Amino acid sequence: MNKIKGCAFLCDENGVIKQVLKDDFGFSKNGCEGKLFTTIIDKHSHNKSLNMILEVKSKNIAFDYRLNIYYNDKFKSLYFMGVLLNKQILLIGADNHKEAVEFTNLLQQINNEQSNQIRKLLKSQSEKILIRDKENEAIFDELSRVNNELVNLQRELNRKNAELERLNGLKNRFLGMAAHDLRNPLSNINALSDFLEKKGDNLNEKQKRFVNLIKTLSSFMLELVNELLDVSAIESGNIKINSTPTNLVLLIRTNIDLNKELAKKKNIKIHFETNVDSLILKIDNNKIDQVISNLLTNAIKYSNNDTQILVSLIQNETEVLVNIKDQGQGIAKDEVVTLFKPFQKTSTMSTAGEKSTGLGLYIVKRIIEAHHGHIGVESEVGKGSTFYFSLPLNP
């Protein structure tokens, strides 16, 4: 114990050294009393020494301060602790924490009352450190347990995701196979009912109603099957874009002509406006035709009789924008966000009892996105809707 070296400075509450109680290093040979403790500290440790004194004044004791103090024309690094004693600050320095604590027992200048007070503070601080260490250990154990649970949950989630992906693949295959097998017989039923409707002069009124019902239902079922096949291809990642040079203006005009008969049943007029006479784009002719047809038939389906539909094509420097604006019922704002999701239907009803599968807009959106384009809608209840899509000129 006698080999332990240290130093002890008794300072006032402002950190001015009043007495050098012990100095085994020779710090005080040039006189320290009357000086601020911080003045004998290396400037790089100056802020730390101030923080130590402030901590002693606020908490009665301070630990874990490594300070550089001037020693034999050089600076020596010592471990310092501080204790508040009757409005005076005792600063003790040694080579490490253990020696600093033991060095306090060697100070002959400190009376029993002061020693007891130091021991009491040291004991209190040690208990706090012990409690803190136990709390840290408990927190570490809890974090380890939670981390292990998270790792296990992640593994289980990965396993379930893999299983869901496998089942989704099976579902898409089954959906595609079922829809494909249903399409041919439904096409035959629809064609035969159409033939009977046109050539059935010998049918009575009841039989004609039956034929018309068969044709209507088979048309809807055929539409649903075709859309299910499209969804199956989309969900499987097998949507293929066969791009060829296509005159988009001519494609729109042709589509309008084909839908005029459907619009005529409701006395709906379709107008077309464009700022170009011809526009050749490299697109999938059939799929973009499907997009235009879907948006146009929807506009007819949800428009009232004796109204108008305006189709416009505008070309700018980077893209072409196609708008289909109707004077229909419009769509509620809170339902617009669901329009392009599969199997979603709004509260807006078709004006002549036409049926909807809830798949068309989802397919349309995926087709436009596959062409690196964008699709959207603007709608106001009671005033109608404008569906629009854009295609890049140079995809």
Side-chain angles (χ1 to χ4, degrees), residues 18 20 89 94 128 192 204 234 254 269 286:
K18 296 174 61 178
V20 180
I89 298 174
K128 289 180 181 178
L192 290 171
N204 59 40
I234 290 170
T254 303
K269 304 294 183 182
N286 292 330

Side-chain angles (χ1 to χ4, degrees), residues 71-336:
Y71 173 67
N72 290 339
D73 297 328
K74 61 182 180 180
F75 288 99
K76 180 176 178 61
S77 180
L78 290 179
Y79 175 94
F80 271 89
M81 57 175 286
V83 181
L84 186 65
L85 299 171
N86 300 323
K87 295 185 179 181
Q88 298 183 101
I89 298 174
L90 175 63
L91 301 175
I92 299 168
D95 285 329
N96 54 59
H97 172 83
K98 180 180 179 182
E99 290 189 2
V101 174
E102 293 179 352
F103 184 71
T104 60
N105 297 322
L106 303 178
L107 299 178
Q108 300 298 320
Q109 291 88 346
I110 302 177
N111 61 35
N112 289 334
E113 181 182 352
Q114 291 174 327
S115 297
N116 290 335
Q117 189 171 352
I118 292 174
R119 291 189 184 98
K120 183 178 179 181
L121 288 169
L122 289 173
K123 181 180 179 182
S124 174
Q125 187 69 14
S126 298
E127 289 174 349
K128 289 180 181 178
I129 293 174
L130 182 62
I131 292 172
R132 184 186 64 193
D133 289 344
K134 289 182 177 179
E135 289 177 347
N136 289 341
E137 184 178 351
I139 291 172
F140 178 79
D141 291 341
E142 180 64 15
L143 286 174
S144 297
R145 184 187 66 79
V146 172
N147 184 64
N148 289 335
E149 288 184 1
L150 286 173
V151 170
N152 291 333
L153 287 172
Q154 183 66 41
R155 288 172 180 164
E156 182 66 13
L157 183 62
N158 290 338
R159 187 187 67 78
K160 289 185 176 180
N161 282 338
E163 179 64 12
L164 283 173
E165 188 173 350
R166 186 185 69 83
L167 292 174
N168 189 56
L170 289 175
K171 179 264 295 180
N172 288 329
R173 287 178 59 192
F174 171 77
L175 189 63
M177 291 169 61
H180 187 272
D181 290 343
L182 287 171
R183 181 163 56 178
N184 286 339
L186 283 171
S187 297
N188 292 333
I189 293 171
N190 186 255
L192 290 171
S193 61
D194 184 61
F195 175 80
L196 288 174
E197 187 178 53
K198 292 177 180 178
K199 303 294 182 179
D201 296 333
N202 297 326
L203 299 177
N204 59 40
E205 290 301 317
K206 185 176 182 180
Q207 290 170 332
K208 288 180 179 179
R209 287 198 305 271
F210 285 161
V211 169
N212 180 261
L213 181 60
I214 292 170
K215 180 183 176 182
T216 301
L217 292 177
S218 62
S219 295
F220 173 73
M221 289 299 297
L222 187 58
E223 178 188 2
L224 176 59
V225 165
N226 286 328
E227 290 184 345
L228 284 174
L229 283 170
D230 287 336
V231 170
S232 177
I234 290 170
E235 293 295 324
S236 301
N238 293 326
I239 182 171
K240 295 179 181 179
I241 302 299
N242 299 314
S243 298
T244 56
T246 302
N247 188 339
L248 184 60
V249 174
L250 180 59
L251 186 66
I252 292 174
R253 291 189 187 278
T254 303
N255 211 298
I256 291 174
D257 289 339
L258 291 173
N259 280 283
K260 277 184 176 179
E261 192 64 30
L262 181 64
K264 189 177 180 181
K265 294 179 180 179
K266 290 184 170 182
N267 197 29
I268 295 173
K269 304 294 183 182
I270 305 175
H271 303 285
F272 180 45
E273 295 179 354
T274 176
N275 64 344
V276 291
D277 295 328
S278 177
L279 177 61
I280 305 299
L281 288 181
K282 198 171 182 180
I283 55 177
D284 188 314
N285 178 78
N286 292 330
K287 286 186 167 55
I288 295 300
D289 181 69
Q290 183 180 352
V291 169
I292 298 168
S293 177
N294 182 281
L295 296 179
L296 194 54
T297 54
N298 275 354
I300 297 170
K301 189 183 297 184
Y302 294 99
S303 288
N304 295 312
N305 292 354
D306 305 312
T307 57
Q308 295 184 15
I309 294 172
L310 176 62
V311 181
S312 64
L313 181 151
I314 302 171
Q315 178 190 348
N316 58 34
E317 294 181 357
T318 59
E319 63 181 7
V320 56
L321 180 66
V322 177
N323 296 283
I324 298 177
K325 181 179 181 180
D326 63 50
Q327 296 174 333
Q329 306 164 74
I331 305 163
K333 286 184 178 180
D334 59 339
E335 295 180 335
V336 168

